Amino acid sequence: MAATKLNFVTLDVFTSTPYLGNPLAIVHVPKSLEDTLSHEQKLKIANEFNLSETVFLHDNEDLDTPIRIDIYMVDRELPFAGHPTVGSGWYLLQSRYPSRETITLRTRAGDIPVVRGNNVGKVQLQVPTNFRIHQPLVHPRVKLLQPRLVAKDYLNGMDGPEPLVSIVKGMTFLLVELTSEEALARLQPSSERITVSAIGDWGHFVGLYAFFQRADGVVRTRMFDGTLEDPATGSAASTLAGYLARQRGEGRHVVEILQGVEMGRRSEISVLVDVGVDGEISTIQLGGGAVQIMEGSLVVPIP
């Protein structure tokens, strides 16, 4: 069996400090392998990196057309995720095409314009949204599997329903508000993933996004997918910011989110949400920076 080598880089996203933020692998897919690198091979590569997400970046010489990226967890492909898109946009604008001010990424969820942010070293992207607030969910297992928390740690108590919100179809989060940062610190990974059959295809992925709103306006968060804790989750941050902005009403709302502290991977996520006079979200913009950590090549068997 023949083999080929693919080049890759790794970044830490939502930080400018190496070894903080959320690690991301970006694997270059040359034009010659665009139609031959299989879903199964991508899963194996993502498993080898063993990060929360790995991006497969399809090389494209025509930068005036969208640049395709495929986003993979170790066991599935995702239609959209925040830190892979921010990381990919940052990498392309900062390292590959420093003279450009904007590019467009093509994801399963749609095309995403990325521009240089107002802050040096950061980028800002318009999140593809098909925003939906589902029926509030009472999911007893979620709280029963947190033995270090008690009823007073939850804003809605042990038995109260929690918001279930999708940023796009197939990317959904159970938003659980806590009453203190100390309670947030006592959360732990669970032996079970959240499943919600009642929402059909909207529930392809359902994560737990716990949060506490500090007095200074910063929202402290943690995201769990079963045994996995994610240092920075742009899709969850966008979902939560959209939900909070809708509660606040018409206007432009800036939501600053701090995640990953308990993991030693402090991540700073900025979300800008515009809410129209009808109370509906018009746009969600996600911002952050990154820093490159590694580069190299990997071997892929070609049938």
Side-chain angles (χ1 to χ4, degrees):
M1 181 179 290
T4 189
K5 288 186 176 181
L6 300 180
N7 294 325
F8 73 87
V9 297
T10 70
L11 315 175
D12 287 336
V13 184
F14 291 121
T15 183
S16 58
T17 304
Y19 309 112
L20 297 181
N22 197 356
L24 174 71
I26 299 177
V27 179
H28 285 270
V29 181
K31 200 80 172 172
S32 59
L33 293 179
E34 185 173 16
D35 298 321
T36 57
L37 190 66
S38 69
H39 172 74
E40 289 72 22
Q41 287 173 313
K42 291 173 184 177
L43 281 174
K44 287 180 179 179
I45 294 169
N47 267 274
E48 190 71 17
F49 281 111
N50 198 30
L51 300 174
S52 58
E53 281 105 7
T54 295
V55 163
F56 294 88
L57 174 65
H58 293 258
D59 289 340
N60 180 2
E61 295 181 3
D62 182 3
L63 299 183
D64 292 324
T65 63
I67 299 170
R68 174 184 160 192
I69 63 171
D70 303 322
I71 304 169
Y72 276 74
M73 298 178 69
V74 297
D75 62 348
R76 70 185 78 177
E77 185 179 4
L78 296 176
F80 167 77
H83 108 274
T85 46
V86 168
S88 297
W90 180 91
Y91 171 67
L92 289 166
L93 288 175
Q94 296 290 332
S95 299
R96 299 278 289 183
Y97 310 111
S99 63
R100 290 188 65 90
E101 291 298 316
T102 182
I103 56 167
T104 299
L105 301 175
R106 175 155 290 171
T107 71
R108 299 287 185 190
D111 289 353
I112 302 174
V114 184
V115 300
R116 295 185 187 277
N118 294 327
N119 297 323
V120 175
K122 293 188 177 183
V123 297
Q124 193 168 40
L125 59 86
Q126 186 167 315
V127 177
T129 58
N130 189 2
F131 200 84
R132 177 172 294 192
I133 300 177
H134 306 278
Q135 282 293 112
L137 180 68
V138 177
H139 198 307
R141 295 289 297 170
V142 169
K143 295 175 183 178
L144 286 175
L145 291 170
Q146 294 294 334
R148 299 172 61 195
L149 273 66
V150 296
K152 68 179 182 180
D153 293 322
Y154 298 100
L155 188 70
N156 295 322
M158 287 293 291
D159 302 319
E162 305 292 355
L164 184 67
V165 185
S166 299
I167 187 69
V168 294
K169 193 172 187 177
M171 183 63 67
T172 299
F173 295 92
L174 185 65
L175 306 178
V176 178
E177 186 167 3
L178 302 180
T179 56
S180 69
E181 279 190 273
E182 193 269 337
L184 192 72
R186 283 188 273 115
L187 280 171
Q188 59 192 38
S190 166
S191 59
E192 300 177 12
R193 276 178 153 170
I194 300 173
T195 58
V196 187
S197 59
I199 60 174
D201 290 344
W202 290 85
H204 174 70
F205 172 87
V206 182
L208 169 65
Y209 204 45
F211 67 100
F212 170 70
Q213 300 188 65
R214 292 195 325 205
D216 64 358
V218 172
V219 184
R220 286 278 290 107
T221 64
R222 296 179 75 181
M223 200 293 286
F224 295 94
D225 174 28
T227 59
L228 168 73
E229 180 172 4
D230 197 24
T233 318
S235 54
S238 299
T239 304
L240 175 61
Y243 178 77
L244 294 176
R246 278 197 46 165
Q247 290 184 319
R248 297 170 186 175
E250 179 189 359
R252 172 163 285 189
H253 307 279
V254 178
V255 182
E256 299 293 344
I257 291 175
L258 184 59
Q259 189 178 333
V261 172
E262 291 78 10
M263 303 176 67
R265 307 280 315 195
R266 178 187 175 97
S267 302
E268 299 174 355
I269 308 169
S270 181
V271 189
L272 182 67
V273 184
D274 287 305
V275 178
V277 293
D278 59 355
E280 298 297 326
I281 292 169
S282 55
T283 60
I284 298 178
Q285 298 179 64
L286 177 66
V291 58
Q292 184 170 324
I293 302 298
M294 289 186 278
E295 60 181 334
S297 62
L298 55 90
V299 175
V300 181
I302 301 297

